[in-house]
Amino acid sequence: MISKTMQEAINAQINKEMFSAYLYLSMAAYFESTGLPGAASWVRAQAAEEQEHAMKFFGHLLDRGGQVTLKAIAAPETSWAGPMAAFQAIYAHEQLVTQSITSLYELALKEKDYPTQILLQWYINEQVEEEKNAAEIIASMQRIEAHETAVLQLDHQLRKRGKE
Ligand code: OFO
């Protein structure tokens, strides 16, 4: 049986993962409307992953005899100053999520909640991947910024996500 403290913290994290999905979906709409379908497809795939992240926590709570309490999801922003600003916002957001996962892990250590510690190790690795992906896209954009053709080429590459 999971502790009430851990249960509350995981419910809060489910909300953050669902907010992440919302944020990426909002960006998908933004990229589509600004003529970058590749970037839109990349963030759409990311939105689907965020829902999976939420559902892993959802399943964990239920498997441990805990209670899932879904809270309202905050509205994400709807536009950004450009693709670079959007990917910078993604990077900053993922850094916040990493902090949040780290705090959850610290709580699981304090509570001696070994199953949650094991579950969180997956998220810790996932956050390394998510920060790395965003940082790599930003680095590519920094190299090609102001070259419209190159931005479109990068957009074409981003479209390949999940199709290989
Ligand atoms: Fe769930 O990893 Fe991004 O937010």
Side-chain angles (χ1 to χ4, degrees):
M1 183 91 182
I2 197 156
S3 77
K4 289 282 176 238
T5 318
M6 202 71 239
Q7 171 179 299
E8 233 172 73
I10 291 179
N11 271 315
Q13 188 64 34
I14 290 175
N15 188 268
K16 286 181 189 165
E17 301 292 344
M18 292 305 286
F19 173 76
S20 298
Y22 249 34
L23 176 65
Y24 285 114
L25 276 183
S26 185
M27 279 186 183
Y30 164 75
F31 283 133
E32 282 288 348
S33 68
T34 54
L36 293 172
S41 147
W42 193 92
V43 286
R44 237 181 229 254
Q46 189 63 35
E49 280 195 10
E50 296 300 348
Q51 288 180 61
E52 285 170 19
H53 298 173
M55 292 314 292
K56 259 185 202 287
F57 281 124
F58 186 102
H60 181 73
L61 271 186
L62 295 178
D63 289 349
R64 304 276 315 282
Q67 193 180 343
V68 170
T69 313
L70 298 177
K71 306 256 167 57
I73 305 168
E77 284 180 50
T78 53
S79 70
W80 290 265
M84 172 64 105
F87 275 97
Q88 279 168 337
I90 289 176
Y91 187 47
H93 177 71
E94 288 305 338
Q95 285 176 312
L96 283 179
V97 174
T98 299
Q99 280 173 21
S100 176
I101 294 290
T102 304
S103 305
L104 268 183
Y105 193 74
E106 282 163 1
L107 180 64
L109 288 175
K110 195 168 145 235
E111 298 263 315
K112 296 192 177 9
D113 183 339
Y114 301 109
T116 301
Q117 287 172 28
I118 291 167
L119 176 79
L120 285 168
Q121 282 165 13
W122 182 88
Y123 287 88
I124 290 168
N125 285 329
E126 180 70 6
Q127 284 311 120
V128 170
E129 187 67 24
E130 300 225 322
E131 285 193 29
K132 174 175 165 267
N133 291 343
E136 280 177 357
I137 295 171
I138 291 170
S140 304
M141 282 187 170
Q142 274 163 345
R143 266 182 251 123
I144 63 180
E145 228 184 3
H147 298 285
E148 185 68 7
T149 326
V151 171
L152 291 174
Q153 269 170 9
L154 175 64
D155 187 65
H156 187 71
Q157 272 179 31
L158 292 175
R159 188 185 286 230
K160 290 188 195 142
R161 181 178 181 178
K163 293 186 183 153
E164 282 163 354

